[in-house]
Amino acid sequence: MTMENSRSIEARRLCALAPIIPVLVVHDVAHARPLAEALVRGGLPVLEVTLRTPAALEVIAEMAKVEGGYAGAGTLVTADDVAAAVKAGAQFGVSPGATDALLDATEAAGLPMLPGAATASEAMALLARGYDVQKFFPAEASGGVGALKGIGGPLPQITFCPTGGINPDNAQSYLSQPNVICAGGSWVAPNDLITAGKWDEIEALARAASQLGQPS
């Protein structure tokens, strides 16, 4: 087993814990713990904190302390991003795409990684490097469910976490695909509810999302 494969195995384990990975944009570190606790209580333990705000690294550090949760860093683009995320305590990484430099950095750091791909060629390049679990991004803009069906025919050995444009109305159609293990979504933690500290409402959204993909 290669080291790359071992990290993809860990990414698969995390992706299998719940049907939805919350994609979080958090501006205030004071919101980190109660937000993470609400999402975990609601049944969504794997949390992607995007590196899009000045507070993101501190947020990851706080969320990593929440029992039963797994805090990861999203929007990893450079080796410096990886180093900062690992220092903050990120337990996994997510990227919108993949470069050799980025993958070299995550592999050197031993960080489980969900690298992004939008085309068959990108997916094949990642597979050749040992990543058989990938983020399909931006999902809706890249052809949505139809694209995943098309890629899944010749590349059934790749499993995806589609992210980008996923919402309660279309999530089920993605999760019903045989090559989809989970999906990333931001609707479970909207900014207005975070700002207002409405953790019970976020927990309810998480609980509903945690039931997606289940037999009716």
Side-chain angles (χ1 to χ4, degrees):
M1 179 187 298
T2 66
M3 292 183 66
E4 292 87 350
N5 288 139
S6 69
R7 280 189 290 279
S8 202
I9 288 171
E10 176 62 7
R12 182 182 294 276
R13 185 186 75 82
L14 292 173
C15 285
L17 292 177
I20 300 297
I21 294 178
V23 179
L24 307 172
V25 181
V26 185
H27 297 273
D28 187 344
V29 68
H31 295 148
R33 290 289 289 270
L35 173 59
E37 288 166 354
L39 291 166
V40 171
R41 284 196 306 270
L44 302 182
V46 183
L47 313 174
E48 177 190 339
V49 180
T50 62
L51 299 186
R52 301 181 193 175
T53 71
L57 293 170
E58 290 181 88
V59 169
I60 290 170
E62 286 301 306
M63 286 189 171
K65 301 173 186 175
V66 173
E67 185 176 358
Y70 299 87
T75 327
L76 295 179
V77 176
T78 68
D80 287 343
D81 292 338
V82 174
V86 170
K87 184 177 180 180
Q91 293 154 291
F92 65 95
V94 184
S95 63
T99 65
D100 287 338
L102 179 64
L103 296 178
D104 287 346
T106 60
E107 290 163 11
L111 185 69
M113 185 65 173
L114 191 63
T119 67
S121 292
E122 292 168 355
M124 288 169 63
L126 286 169
L127 180 63
R129 189 149 176 165
Y131 295 91
D132 61 0
V133 182
Q134 305 171 14
K135 172 181 176 177
F136 181 60
F137 178 83
E140 281 288 279
S142 299
V145 171
L148 283 168
K149 288 180 178 179
I151 292 173
L155 298 171
Q157 63 271 59
I158 302 176
T159 304
F160 292 98
C161 170
T163 305
I166 311 298
N167 57 57
D169 295 327
N170 63 18
Q172 192 71 44
S173 63
Y174 279 95
L175 293 169
S176 66
Q177 301 308 309
N179 60 343
V180 170
I181 188 170
C182 66
S186 60
W187 82 87
V188 294
N191 186 62
D192 59 336
L193 295 186
I194 295 174
T195 302
K198 295 186 176 180
W199 313 122
D200 289 346
E201 292 186 31
I202 289 174
E203 180 182 345
L205 289 173
R207 185 166 291 107
S210 74
Q211 300 304 308
L212 291 170
Q214 302 297 319
S216 56

